[in-house]
Amino acid sequence: DTGVSQDPRHKITKRGQNVTFRCDPISEHNRLYWYRQTLGQGPEFLTYFQNEAQLEKSRLLSDRFSAERPKGSFSTLEIQRTEQGDSAMYLCASSLGTSGRMGWIQYFGAGTRLSVL
Amino acid sequence: LAKTTQPISMDSYEGQEVNITCSHNNIATNDYITWYQQFPSQGPRFIIQGYKTKVTNEVASLFIPADRKSSTLSLPRVSLSDTAVYYCLVETAGTASKLTFGTGTRLQVTL
């Protein structure tokens, strides 16, 4: 158990509907990341937060996607007007930034699998 | 960021040692190597991380030659539960930014 919790685990929606996913990171982790993974591919970066500030967004994150991390704790990822191409696993990860460390290990949740019909 | 190349798939029998090699010819001085493991329907899980020579933990060893243009993840005495996808990543120290995954190596362990 990595400690990162994602909800829901599965989501089936019809094209054009809005969906929202939630991620609860490991407590005290200051960085939170969202990735998307399709079948047979590695995860692709979408965006990340340091505390409540969204520091980077991928070009994959179209204007239909929005992510928030109010108060620097949990985060939500919303997809508006879903399309069939949005069908994927959406993964959340968190890390604790410690200066001087070689690498800031990311701890992933189990993901939310989205199916757009 | 240095691009990584690793085999698409590998097969092994239970009890054998498995070595997965990753090529990263353009690795920079401030880059380090990290390996993650992913089981179906789960998120990736950190395995091991290193900069040079050899690193060992309770689950794996990581061998990095002096030129650091490649690295080898060694899994001793694999079991069926080691069947997974293994990702080699190169990251720049201290940036704590996004991870760039490739397609990974799919390891299949059989009896």
Side-chain angles (χ1 to χ4, degrees):
Chain A
D1 183 10
T2 63
V4 177
S5 177
Q6 293 190 246
D7 183 70
R9 290 294 311 277
H10 304 275
K11 179 69 176 179
I12 300 174
T13 191
K14 293 183 179 179
R15 189 175 53 186
Q17 297 295 305
N18 299 344
V19 294
T20 300
F21 311 140
R22 177 180 171 121
C23 171
D24 287 273
I26 294 172
S27 59
E28 298 169 3
H29 276 192
N30 54 356
R31 292 220 171 190
L32 186 148
Y33 310 77
W34 286 98
Y35 294 84
R36 181 174 69 185
Q37 185 173 27
T38 54
L39 198 61
Q41 302 297 314
E44 295 175 292
F45 169 79
L46 292 178
T47 187
Y48 85 91
F49 295 82
Q50 177 159 316
N51 301 314
E52 66 276 8
Q54 190 173 17
L55 295 187
E56 186 175 347
K57 293 194 292 185
S58 163
R59 282 178 241 175
L60 292 175
L61 214 65
S62 75
D63 55 6
R64 297 185 298 107
F65 288 70
S66 63
E68 293 182 344
R69 193 184 182 197
K71 303 178 183 177
S73 55
F74 72 92
S75 176
T76 57
L77 178 67
E78 180 183 17
I79 308 175
Q80 296 182 327
R81 306 181 303 281
T82 53
E83 302 173 354
Q84 288 186 326
D86 297 331
S87 295
M89 174 78 84
Y90 289 84
L91 293 161
C92 175
S94 69
S95 68
L96 176 62
T98 305
S99 65
R101 280 187 60 115
M102 182 167 59
W104 296 8
I105 298 166
Q106 293 190 18
Y107 297 85
F108 284 81
T112 295
R113 182 169 295 284
L114 173 66
S115 296
V116 181
L117 305 178
Chain B
L1 210 60
K3 181 182 176 181
T4 60
T5 303
Q6 52 185 124
I8 294 174
S9 64
M10 294 182 68
D11 295 309
S12 178
Y13 292 109
E14 195 172 44
Q16 289 188 326
E17 178 184 74
V18 170
N19 295 308
I20 306 174
T21 297
C22 177
S23 171
H24 28 78
N25 291 318
N26 296 324
I27 192 167
T29 303
N30 290 338
D31 291 343
Y32 54 92
I33 299 114
T34 308
W35 287 80
Y36 280 78
Q37 173 193 56
Q38 186 175 27
F39 299 112
S41 299
Q42 293 186 27
R45 183 180 74 166
F46 171 83
I47 303 175
I48 198 166
Q49 186 176 81
Y51 183 80
K52 61 180 179 180
T53 62
K54 177 183 175 182
V55 180
T56 298
N57 62 21
E58 63 275 10
V59 298
S61 294
L62 179 60
F63 298 92
I64 305 169
D67 65 7
R68 306 202 319 124
K69 293 183 183 298
S70 67
S71 59
T72 299
L73 175 71
S74 180
L75 305 171
R77 298 179 299 282
V78 294
S79 65
L80 296 176
S81 63
D82 292 315
T83 294
V85 178
Y86 293 82
Y87 295 98
C88 166
L89 297 93
V90 172
E91 302 176 75
T92 301
T95 59
S97 62
K98 59 182 181 285
L99 296 177
T100 302
F101 291 84
T103 53
T105 297
R106 187 172 301 274
L107 173 65
Q108 179 70 52
V109 180
T110 56
L111 291 173

